[in-house]
Amino acid sequence: MKEKKINKQELFLLKEHSTISEEDFNVLYEQHGVASSNQWKDFGYYTLLACGIGFFVSGVLFFFAFNWDHMPANVKFILVGSAIVCSAYFSITTRVKESINKICLIATSVLVGVLLAVFGQTYQTGANAYDLFLTWLLVVTPLTIVSQSTYQWLFFSILANTTLILAMVQRLQVDSVFVGILCLVLANFILLVLPKIKGIHRTFVIGNLYTQLQLVVVYLLATIGFGIWLFTNDANYQPKELQGALWMLLLALLIIGGGFAVGWMQKQIYLFSYALIAVVSCGLMLWMKLFKDSAEGLLIYMLYAIGAIFFIIKFVSNKSKQWKYEE
């Protein structure tokens, strides 16, 4: 059975709620609270490996950019195709570590976009960036689904958001910022839930990094949407520019309030924290709306911001310790 790792927070909770001596605590801290030499070696190894693959892919990109006009079309396709075959091989072979497989899979996904760009520029299939990113997204989708890699899902999320933004700007020509934010919030919420569906991979558990980044994006969009709605003056906008304002407001309030309630009930500190920060941010915008023309408004904003920061830190810290101790 794999031994459970102990983090620093758990060690200090143990010290606070037990009668452990200072000597015993120091021994535990040296064993579990400080990174060992092997952990530093692993960190350096994977960091250099990721940087090496990143520099390799960047080198391919800049090589094409610099020598584009002097290279025959067949040379371009041979070089990019060879790089894709090489990275794809190392992403599926069992002769290397699993971490190398996942890094090479991301490199393959990036090089697929390079190949599509080379094809479009060589045969002049169109200058619409949306078509390029949509095709890129469709090709990368099956690779992401079978990857079981948190970093691949992060790349897929960035690519999906970019494609959606280009679609709204170039193809759909959305005039309302509320409709744009509404679509982005819904898309990122789907991206948050999608890798957690057990029908895709029953044994795969998405990393907290992906979950937390997606939550940050969702709450940031919801907070921005609330702020835009709050400061929107109907007299200065055309009706088509205000489409979806009410639906966006309701969705933003549902996400912020629902996240706060779910985080509290399920004792998920990061979900609770993000929702609390969103609530405090919305409160600050309400104060700015109420006192925007008053001389004392700046003082009120500063007092509210300072008090809110200390409140969030203290409240979240206490809740984190309480929920950790209850577990």
Side-chain angles (χ1 to χ4, degrees), residues 23-288:
E23 292 78 9
D24 293 337
F25 173 79
N26 291 333
V27 172
L28 289 175
Y29 185 81
E30 289 293 331
Q31 294 176 351
H32 303 282
V34 180
S36 63
S37 58
N38 290 331
Q39 290 175 325
W40 279 111
K41 289 179 182 179
D42 291 340
F43 172 77
Y45 172 77
Y46 291 118
T47 300
L48 292 175
L49 178 63
C51 290
I53 295 177
F55 289 146
F56 170 75
V57 175
S58 301
V60 173
L61 294 175
F62 284 103
F63 177 79
F64 279 106
F66 186 78
N67 300 282
W68 184 264
D69 296 331
H70 306 286
M71 295 175 58
N74 57 345
V75 174
K76 300 174 185 177
F77 287 110
I78 290 174
L79 289 176
V80 179
S82 300
I84 291 177
V85 171
C86 181
S87 60
Y89 169 76
F90 283 104
S91 67
I92 61 176
T93 182
T94 57
R95 296 182 178 181
V96 297
K97 295 182 180 179
E98 184 179 358
S99 56
I100 299 179
N101 294 141
K102 295 178 180 179
I103 294 175
C104 290
L105 181 61
I106 297 177
T108 303
S109 301
V110 174
L111 290 171
V112 166
V114 176
L115 178 63
L116 294 173
V118 171
F119 182 86
Q121 290 292 331
T122 303
Y123 296 104
Q124 298 297 318
T125 56
N128 194 340
Y130 164 71
D131 295 331
L132 169 64
F133 277 87
L134 178 61
T135 306
W136 192 1
L137 179 67
L138 294 176
V139 175
V140 169
T141 298
L143 299 178
T144 304
I145 292 177
V146 302
S147 66
Q148 300 190 53
S149 172
T150 298
Y151 298 103
Q152 178 69 18
W153 276 100
L154 281 173
F155 175 78
F156 179 78
S157 176
I158 296 172
L159 188 59
N161 278 278
T162 305
T163 305
L164 178 58
I165 293 173
L166 291 173
M168 291 188 292
V169 173
Q170 296 183 353
R171 183 59 59 88
L172 302 177
Q173 296 182 351
V174 176
D175 296 319
S176 174
V177 66
F178 299 107
V179 175
I181 293 177
L182 185 65
C183 294
L184 286 173
V185 170
L186 291 175
N188 281 278
F189 184 79
I190 294 174
L191 289 170
L192 174 64
V193 176
L194 188 61
K196 298 183 179 181
I197 299 176
K198 293 300 182 182
I200 299 178
H201 279 299
R202 298 186 182 277
T203 59
F204 174 60
V205 179
I206 194 71
N208 286 331
L209 175 64
Y210 178 85
T211 302
Q212 295 188 25
L213 287 177
Q214 285 298 127
L215 284 174
V216 168
V217 172
V218 170
Y219 277 107
L220 181 62
L221 289 170
T223 306
I224 292 174
F226 176 83
I228 295 176
W229 173 86
L230 187 64
F231 292 100
T232 297
N233 187 354
D234 296 346
N236 297 332
Y237 296 90
Q238 299 179 2
K240 65 178 181 179
E241 295 176 327
L242 299 173
Q243 292 178 352
L246 180 60
W247 287 107
M248 189 280 305
L249 175 64
L250 294 176
L251 181 62
L253 295 177
L254 177 63
I255 289 175
I256 295 174
F260 188 86
V262 172
W264 181 285
M265 291 185 295
Q266 297 186 358
K267 300 178 180 179
Q268 297 182 7
I269 190 61
Y270 57 87
L271 178 59
F272 175 78
S273 302
Y274 300 154
L276 182 60
I277 293 173
V279 170
V280 172
S281 300
C282 291
L284 177 60
M285 288 186 284
L286 285 172
W287 281 110
M288 295 175 67

